[in-house]
């Protein structure tokens, strides 16, 4: 996988996760961003604090689809270990307005 296959905003999302850059991460999101994990809507800030930045998360993208707005990644964090996950992003005005993730 090459990073140029990802939508540029999605690529920045992955880079922010892998760099532990919470400020940069939240800059990529719309003010009314929503998200779901395994089909259940969650509070974005609480989920991100717990599952990404509070647990040293990393994403290794395996495949990209849907014009660069969907991906499958090996996702690892200190809370759950490593798992294969699917991610889908909705982009509005150059920012992420929704993301959905779950086990792939």
């Amino acid at each position: 996988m090459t990073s140029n296959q990802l939508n540029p905003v999605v690529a920045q999302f992955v880079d922010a996760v892998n760099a532990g850059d919470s400020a940069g991460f939240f800059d990529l999101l719309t003010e009314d961003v929503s998200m779901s994990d395994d089909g259940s809507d969650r509070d974005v800030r609480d989920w991100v604090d717990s599952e990404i930045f509070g647990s040293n998360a990393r994403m290794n993208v395996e495949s990209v689809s849907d014009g660069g707005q969907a991906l499958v990644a090996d996702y690892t964090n200190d809370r759950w270990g490593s798992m294969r996950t699917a991610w889908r992003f909705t982009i509005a005005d150059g920012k992420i307005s929704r993301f959905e993730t779950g086990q792939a």
Side-chain angles (χ1 to χ4, degrees), residues 26 29-35 42 44 96-99:
F26 283 106
L29 309 179
T30 62
E31 288 186 23
D32 61 346
V33 66
S34 63
M35 65 86 54
R42 308 292 175 125
V44 173
I96 296 168
S97 61
R98 180 167 179 82
F99 64 95

Side-chain angles (χ1 to χ4, degrees), residues 21 28 31 51 64 76 79 91:
D21 179 7
L28 298 169
E31 288 186 23
E51 301 296 331
V64 178
T76 304
R79 183 173 184 190
I91 310 294

